[in-house]
Amino acid sequence: MLHDRILVSLEGEPGERKSGGGILIPATASIGKRLVWAHVVATGPHVRQVCVDDRVLFDPEDRAEVELQSKDYLLLRERDLHAVAAADIGDHEPTGLYL
């Protein structure tokens, strides 16, 4: 990985979602702009706020797809991320997210 690039793997099956009540929402359902969570697989040397295995929130329209060893990944820039989910939050961060 070069510069501020981040390689991520999408969570779950792309397109389909489940509501809080357990209702399956098909990929064909049209909803406004929606952000997506993914797991970080690799980072470039100039990435400062994200580590491997973090969960990140990003806009799915700002992405580049890449296939490595028969698996699909997304290539993002650090500045395109909206949030990073902390794996273990302390008493000082009640939200569990940091920017």
Side-chain angles (χ1 to χ4, degrees):
M1 302 301 302
L2 297 174
H3 309 294
D4 67 339
R5 306 285 191 209
I6 299 169
L7 190 69
V8 298
S9 175
L10 286 177
E11 297 177 351
E13 191 173 324
E16 289 188 348
R17 297 184 316 277
K18 221 177 227 191
S19 72
I23 298 172
L24 185 64
I25 302 170
T28 57
S30 177
I31 295 181
K33 191 171 182 178
R34 183 175 178 90
L35 300 177
V36 177
W37 286 102
H39 283 284
V40 176
V41 177
T43 62
H46 298 292
V47 174
R48 297 178 295 178
Q49 300 293 323
V50 181
C51 299
V52 175
D53 291 332
D54 280 349
R55 288 181 66 217
V56 294
L57 186 67
F58 68 97
D59 184 357
E61 293 178 7
D62 300 333
R63 66 182 185 175
E65 296 181 16
V66 63
E67 183 179 337
L68 297 171
Q69 299 177 351
S70 300
K71 186 164 177 172
D72 292 328
Y73 296 98
L74 301 177
L75 187 61
L76 304 169
R77 296 192 124 191
E78 185 177 23
R79 68 179 180 210
D80 294 333
L81 300 179
H82 293 274
V84 179
D88 182 24
I89 60 170
D91 295 332
H92 60 281
E93 288 191 50
T95 63
L97 297 175
Y98 61 92
L99 298 175

